[in-house]
Amino acid sequence: MSDQQEFPEDPSDYAETDHIEHHSTGKGLALPGQNLPDKVYIIPIHNRPFFPAQVLPVIVNEEPWAETLDLVSKSDHHSLALFYMDTPQEDPRHFDTGALPEYGTLVKVHHASRENGKLQFVAQGLTRVRIKTWLKHHRPPYLVEVEYPHQPTEPTDEVKAYGMALINAIKELLPLNPLYSEELKNYLNRFSPNDPSPLTDFAAALTSATGGELQEVLDCVPMLKRMEKVLPMLRKEVEVARLQKEISAEVNRKIGEHQREFFLKEQLKVIQQELGLTKDDRSADIEQFEQRLEGKVLPPQAQKRVEEEMNKLSILETGSPEYAVTRNYLDWATSVPWGVYGEDKLDLKHARKVLDKHHAGLDDIKDRILEFLAVGAYKGEISGSIVLLVGPPGVGKTSVGKSIAESLGRPFYRFSLGGMRDEAEIKGHRRTYIGAQPGKLVQALKDVEVMNPVIMLDEIDKMGQSYQGDPASALLETLDPEQNVEFLDHYLDLRLDLSKVLFVCTANTLDSIPGPLLDRMEVIRLSGYITEEKIAIAKRHLWPKQLEKAGVSKGSLSISDSALKALIDGYAREAGVRHLEKELGKLVRKAVVKLIDEPKAVIKIGPKDLEASLGHPVFRNEQVLSGTGVITGLAWTSMGGATLPIEATRIHTLNRGFKLTGQLGDVMKESAEIAYSYVSSNLKSFGGDPKFFDEAFVHLHVPEGATPKDGPSAGVTMASALLSLARNQAPKKGIAMTGELTLTGHVLPIGGVREKVIAARRQKIFELILPEPNRGSFEELPDYLKEGITVHFAKRFADVAKILF
C-alpha cells in the first residue's frame, strides 16, 4: 500500500447524504450514481460510534488494518463499515464476532495516509448497515455480507416537529460551545427538516453522551423513536454548556476585578511616589518609629540601641525574615513611654472623697493610703511603692487598687498572676525565639503611655511553678525598690526605670507567697466586714448596681434595712460581700418576673419575703454551746474569722487515755497534746482532783469534722475545756477566747485579732480573752468594733482560769 492512497477526492463526494436516492426496488439506499455494495470489509472503532451524518478523520493501527484499507482502495465503491466496540479486543486476530453491536455505519474512505505505524483517513458517513453473514472472520481483513435498513419516504408532521426542535436545540448549543465552528453552522444549514434521519444522527453526534448511549441511537432505526431518544440528550448538553459558560464567566469576572484592582493600586503607588506623597514600606516604617520617639527622653544606652536597629532596618530587604524581627523589636522599643511621666493629683481631700465614694468601712486601709499620699504631697512626688493587700475574697482588694489610681489621677493597669507558670510572662522572651514578646510590664507601660502608672498584680499568692521557670523569683527584681530602677526585660534587652510605678498586689493568704518576695512588700490587711458595714455597702453600692443591671427603677423595687440585715445574717455571713451581691441579684431577678406580669406594681422587699425568694436561711443563729467541758474558741480562716466550739468529755475510768477528733492538722494536734500535758501536770493548783486524768479516758472534739482546721491559737481553749471537765464545773457563759499555750503555762500571741473580734460580734459574744501581747493589736481596732466588748488580757493560763471559774 503506497504512502498516499488514490481515493476519490471529488468535493461533491462529501456531505451529500441529503441527496441519497433510493434503489429502483425501494428496498435499500443508493449512493449518487451507484448502488450500495452488498459485501464490505469492516473495521471496529472504540471511542464512540460513527454516525451516517458525520465526516471525520479516523485513525487505526497499521497492524492489522493496512491490508483491509488496501483492499478498500482497490474496490469500485471505496467503502467500508465501521462498528463500535465498547472494549478493545486484546488481539484483533482472534475476533469475537458476538461483541459487535447490531448496527454500524457504511463510510466512504478519502485521503488515506500512513505515519508512525498509524493509518489515517477521512470517513464520510453514508448510511446504517447491518451484518447479514460473515464471509471471512478468522483474521483481518474481515469480509461480511450486509443489508441496509428500510426507511419511510415521507416524514409525518410529528417527525417534522421533532426535526424543528432538534434544529433549534443545536442552534442554542452552538453559541455556548466555541468548539463547534463556522463549518458546523454551514453544515447545519444544509440539513432539512423534511429529511430528518441525518439531522437526528448529527444531533446525537454533537452530544458528549457515552458510547453505549450513542450506540442505542444508532441501533434505533424507526425515525420517531430515534428522535425521542436524541432530543433529551441534546437538551441536557445545552444545559451543561450553559452552566459551564456561567461558571467560566463568573471566574473571569472575579479574576478581572482583582487584576483591575491590582493595576490601579500599583499605578496609585507609582503616582504617589512620583509626587513624593508616600514612601515605600521601609521608609514609612522608619518614619513612623522616629515620630513615636518625638517628645520622649531615652537613656543613652537605649538611644544608641534604637539607632543601631534603625540603621539595620534601612538596609534590610522588606521580604527577609530578619526585617520582620527588627521591625517588631523597634515597634516595641519605640512604644515604651521613655521619660514620660503623668502628673499626680496630690490633693488629700480629693483622695478622701474618692475613697469614701467607692468604699464603706475599711477606715484603717483608707488612713494608710492617705498617709502614703501625704508623704508624696509633702515631698512633691510619689516615688514607687509596693503595697500588698491581704484579705478574704470579696472584701474589695481589687477595687481599692482602682481607687488608689483614681485618687492619684494615674492610669491603672491590672493583670492577674493566678496560675502563671512562665517567668517570660514577667521578664519577656529572648528575641531569638519565634513569636517572642516582651513581658507584661513592658506591655503595661505601652498601654498606659506613662512611666508612673498604678500596676495591680492580682492573686500574687496563686502563682505556679514549672519547668519554664519560677515567676515568683522573676518578680523579685520587679518589686525590689533597690533593683527596679534598672529592670531588664529580656526581649528589649534595655534597662527600664520602674521605680516610679506604684505596685498594688493582692492575695487571699500569705502562706503561699515566698519569703523573699513577701519581704519586698508592705502588707496591709483587709479583714472582713461586720453586719453594719455590710448593710451600708449593700445600700450604697450593691443594691443600686443590681437595679441598674436589671434596668429596674428605684421607685418600682426597694428593700428595707431589716430585710438587708436578715439577708446578711441568714444567707451571706462570709467576710466579703461578693456572695451578698449574688443574693441581692437573685432578689432583683425574682422581682423582675413579677414586674413583667404587672408593669405598674411597686414591690417592697421585707424580711418575710426573703424565704420565698431565696429558700430557707443557710445560716441559723448558732446556739453557743455551753456546759461542763465546752468552751468557745475563736479562729482565723482565709474567708475571715469564725467561732470554734471545743468539747471535752470523759468516756470511762478504766485506764488513762486521750483521743482527738475533728479533722485537725498537725499543729492543732500538738496544741491539744500540750494542753493535755499542762492541765494534767498542774491540776492540783487549779483546784481539781490530781488523780482525775490518771484514771480517765478523755475525748476532745472540735465540731464540724468535715472542715479541715489547723493553727496554733487553740491551745488556751483546749486547756480550758479539759480543766472544766476535770473540775466538773461549767465555765462562765458568753465568753470566747484565743491564744497559744506553752508547756509552762505562758499564753503566746496570735494573729487575725480583727477577724476574730468580728466573728465574736457576729455571734453576739461580747466578752473575750486575748493574749496580753495582743493588747496593742486590739487597741488599734476601730472604735465601732471595740464598742461594747469586754476584753481580758492573759499572760499565763492561770489568768484564764480565774476569769472562767
Side-chain angles (χ1 to χ4, degrees):
M1 185 175 177
S2 63
D3 214 33
Q4 182 74 37
Q5 294 290 347
E6 286 303 312
F7 285 122
E9 293 185 22
D10 179 6
S12 64
D13 285 337
Y14 290 93
E16 289 193 351
T17 48
D18 45 344
H19 300 303
I20 291 175
E21 296 164 9
H22 292 276
H23 268 292
S24 54
T25 59
K27 285 182 181 175
L29 293 169
L31 280 166
Q34 69 182 74
N35 289 340
L36 293 169
D38 295 329
K39 295 171 187 171
V40 288
Y41 291 103
I42 69 165
I43 292 180
I45 54 172
H46 307 295
N47 289 350
R48 50 193 279 151
F50 199 96
F51 280 94
Q54 285 181 294
V55 180
L56 281 175
V58 176
I59 300 173
V60 291
N61 290 328
E62 190 176 344
E63 178 62 37
W65 305 114
E67 196 183 339
T68 306
L69 276 177
D70 211 20
L71 291 166
V72 169
S73 69
K74 290 171 182 168
S75 70
D76 297 336
H77 46 75
H78 300 304
S79 302
L80 59 81
L82 294 177
F83 278 83
Y84 169 69
M85 279 186 83
D86 202 355
T87 48
Q89 294 285 328
E90 284 180 27
D91 184 2
R93 286 176 183 76
H94 304 290
F95 195 63
D96 178 12
T97 56
L100 288 183
E102 188 182 358
Y103 281 96
T105 303
L106 183 73
V107 299
K108 193 161 188 177
V109 177
H110 303 271
H111 299 296
S113 63
R114 178 183 305 189
E115 201 175 315
N116 300 335
K118 298 280 183 190
L119 291 170
Q120 187 171 333
F121 59 91
V122 175
Q124 176 194 354
L126 299 176
T127 181
R128 278 172 177 69
V129 63
R130 185 166 58 191
I131 299 171
K132 204 171 172 185
T133 49
W134 284 82
L135 301 175
K136 184 179 179 215
H137 61 81
H138 296 301
R139 62 181 186 83
Y142 301 120
L143 185 64
V144 290
E145 191 179 341
V146 292
E147 63 180 1
Y148 303 98
H150 171 69
Q151 288 182 331
T153 50
E154 281 299 316
T156 62
D157 289 346
E158 203 174 345
V159 170
K160 280 183 182 177
Y162 265 104
M164 292 303 293
L166 285 173
I167 288 178
N168 288 336
I170 295 170
K171 283 185 172 170
E172 260 183 76
L173 183 62
L174 290 182
L176 293 173
N177 195 331
L179 292 173
Y180 309 124
S181 61
E182 287 298 318
E183 284 87 349
L184 281 177
K185 291 184 189 174
N186 297 334
Y187 201 39
L188 187 62
N189 289 337
R190 297 217 293 273
F191 284 120
S192 158
N194 298 327
D195 190 5
S197 181
L199 172 68
T200 312
D201 291 342
F202 175 67
L206 282 182
T207 66
S208 56
T210 61
E213 289 172 328
L214 292 173
Q215 183 61 48
E216 279 180 30
V217 174
L218 195 63
D219 289 344
C220 186
V221 177
M223 197 67 252
L224 195 58
K225 263 192 178 178
R226 198 189 325 161
M227 287 178 142
E228 282 171 1
K229 272 184 193 294
V230 173
L231 191 60
M233 287 164 69
L234 199 57
R235 294 297 334 161
K236 183 181 170 189
E237 199 66 27
V238 171
E239 287 307 314
V240 170
R242 183 172 287 127
L243 188 62
Q244 278 179 333
K245 191 172 181 183
E246 280 172 18
I247 290 169
S248 76
E250 181 63 18
V251 170
N252 289 340
R253 185 184 66 75
K254 283 186 178 170
I255 291 171
E257 268 178 24
H258 284 302
Q259 280 180 328
R260 184 168 172 273
E261 235 171 73
F262 174 74
F263 285 132
L264 287 173
K265 278 181 182 168
E266 289 303 308
Q267 283 175 329
L268 184 64
K269 265 188 195 174
V270 173
I271 291 166
Q272 285 179 330
Q273 281 178 15
E274 286 293 318
L275 294 173
L277 296 176
T278 60
K279 299 165 184 63
D280 60 354
D281 292 347
R282 193 193 294 117
S283 315
D285 284 342
I286 291 172
E287 193 173 289
Q288 183 193 3
F289 297 144
E290 283 169 349
Q291 277 174 355
R292 277 193 201 166
L293 291 175
E294 282 171 19
K296 293 180 182 176
V297 183
L298 275 74
Q301 177 211 5
Q303 182 77 42
K304 184 183 170 196
R305 183 67 178 279
V306 168
E307 282 170 6
E308 283 171 5
E309 294 291 332
M310 291 269 210
N311 291 336
K312 192 205 283 188
L313 193 74
S314 64
I315 56 171
L316 282 168
E317 272 304 315
T318 50
S320 76
E322 185 65 18
Y323 180 85
V325 172
T326 307
R327 189 195 174 286
N328 209 21
Y329 176 83
L330 281 169
D331 188 26
W332 279 106
T334 56
S335 296
V336 174
W338 301 99
V340 179
Y341 293 95
E343 203 173 318
D344 289 328
K345 285 183 198 160
L346 299 174
D347 179 356
L348 294 187
K349 282 182 187 169
H350 166 74
R352 167 68 78 180
K353 207 184 271 179
V354 169
L355 291 168
D356 284 341
K357 182 176 118 190
H358 291 306
H359 305 278
L362 302 178
D363 289 338
D364 44 348
I365 307 298
K366 291 178 190 169
D367 290 342
R368 174 66 198 82
I369 292 165
L370 288 169
E371 287 162 19
F372 166 72
L373 296 179
V375 171
Y378 188 76
K379 187 180 165 191
E381 65 156 0
I382 291 184
S383 53
S385 178
I386 293 100
V387 177
L388 172 62
L389 303 172
V390 185
V395 293
K397 298 182 293 296
T398 306
S399 51
V400 165
K402 281 184 188 164
S403 299
I404 293 172
E406 192 181 325
S407 58
L408 276 173
R410 287 189 180 192
F412 177 75
Y413 187 92
R414 173 192 165 274
F415 67 94
S416 175
L417 299 171
M420 187 184 285
R421 297 176 309 172
D422 187 355
E423 64 176 41
E425 294 267 344
I426 308 248
K427 303 195 86 175
H429 305 87
R430 303 255 171 236
R431 247 175 94 182
T432 47
Y433 299 134
I434 289 173
Q437 272 201 321
K440 274 278 191 286
L441 293 158
V442 174
Q443 293 178 35
L445 294 177
K446 177 187 174 181
D447 279 11
V448 297
E449 297 179 354
V450 290
M451 290 298 273
N452 59 341
V454 175
I455 294 181
M456 171 163 274
L457 308 174
D458 232 346
E459 316 288 2
I460 202 166
D461 55 331
K462 297 181 184 64
M463 270 186 293
Q465 274 191 5
S466 74
Y467 65 91
Q468 289 151 318
D470 174 11
S473 303
L475 273 177
L476 293 178
E477 183 191 357
T478 313
L479 299 183
D480 188 336
E482 298 300 318
Q483 294 180 50
N484 68 13
V485 180
E486 291 199 327
F487 172 77
L488 183 69
D489 183 88
H490 289 162
Y491 179 82
L492 290 179
D493 209 18
L494 296 172
R495 299 281 174 188
L496 290 161
D497 181 4
L498 299 183
S499 62
K500 299 286 188 287
V501 176
L502 173 53
F503 287 102
V504 180
C505 312
T506 71
N508 294 135
T509 166
L510 300 179
D511 305 345
S512 54
I513 302 174
L517 186 58
L518 195 56
D519 183 48
R520 287 163 165 82
M521 301 187 279
E522 187 175 341
V523 178
I524 300 179
R525 288 186 179 277
L526 283 81
S527 44
Y529 300 105
I530 58 171
T531 306
E532 288 77 7
E533 287 176 330
K534 282 191 177 180
I535 291 172
I537 292 167
K539 280 168 73 174
R540 278 169 51 185
H541 301 290
L542 308 180
W543 183 251
K545 184 176 165 187
Q546 289 299 329
L547 289 180
E548 190 185 340
K549 202 172 171 185
V552 179
S553 68
K554 287 179 184 174
S556 307
L557 180 60
S558 59
I559 185 167
S560 66
D561 288 7
S562 54
L564 277 176
K565 189 172 189 307
L567 175 68
I568 289 160
D569 285 343
Y571 299 88
R573 268 194 206 175
E574 85 287 6
V577 289
R578 193 172 287 139
H579 188 65
L580 172 59
E581 187 176 0
K582 286 180 191 167
E583 296 297 327
L584 289 171
K586 205 182 280 184
L587 287 175
V588 171
R589 289 197 299 277
K590 301 269 185 197
V592 168
V593 174
K594 292 179 191 168
L595 286 172
I596 283 176
D597 294 334
E598 305 169 45
K600 296 195 174 162
V602 174
I603 298 174
K604 290 180 178 173
I605 299 172
K608 290 175 185 172
D609 306 321
L610 295 180
E611 215 161 297
S613 296
L614 305 176
H616 289 289
V618 182
F619 302 98
R620 301 274 172 194
N621 279 339
E622 285 176 29
Q623 197 62 40
V624 176
L625 303 177
S626 59
T628 304
V630 181
I631 302 283
T632 303
L634 293 171
W636 179 91
T637 70
S638 63
M639 301 293 282
T643 52
L644 195 71
I646 290 177
E647 305 169 323
T649 185
R650 182 173 63 180
I651 299 172
H652 56 73
T653 56
L654 300 175
N655 62 328
R656 180 188 178 96
F658 183 53
K659 184 179 182 182
L660 264 177
T661 53
Q663 255 244 73
L664 308 179
D666 292 341
V667 177
M668 213 152 168
K669 283 177 186 167
E670 285 178 7
S671 293
E673 297 286 347
I674 291 165
Y676 181 71
S677 300
Y678 175 73
V679 174
S680 302
S681 58
N682 295 285
L683 195 50
K684 191 177 180 185
S685 62
F686 292 125
D689 177 5
K691 293 177 183 170
F692 178 83
F693 285 109
D694 297 344
E695 298 165 355
F697 190 93
V698 176
H699 184 164
L700 186 77
H701 175 61
V702 184
E704 291 188 36
T707 314
K709 295 169 277 289
D710 200 12
S713 61
V716 170
T717 320
M718 288 170 163
S720 302
L722 291 168
L723 181 57
S724 168
L725 179 69
R727 285 178 59 144
N728 196 22
Q729 180 186 354
K732 185 177 174 183
K733 280 191 176 182
I735 194 163
M737 64 183 70
T738 179
E740 187 179 355
L741 184 67
T742 69
L743 263 181
T744 51
H746 288 85
V747 179
L748 299 184
I750 44 84
V753 172
R754 181 185 170 122
E755 285 87 345
K756 289 174 179 178
V757 171
I758 289 173
R761 282 191 82 99
R762 203 182 290 135
Q763 288 300 95
K764 300 190 169 46
I765 297 173
F766 295 103
E767 192 170 353
L768 305 178
I769 299 174
L770 299 177
E772 175 65 43
N774 284 113
R775 187 187 286 269
S777 308
F778 180 78
E779 298 296 342
E780 283 173 8
L781 291 181
D783 292 340
Y784 64 83
L785 283 182
K786 294 188 285 188
E787 191 183 332
I789 287 187
T790 309
V791 180
H792 307 282
F793 294 103
K795 279 186 181 174
R796 297 181 63 83
F797 184 70
D799 304 336
V800 178
K802 269 184 207 159
I803 298 158
L804 282 178
F805 305 106

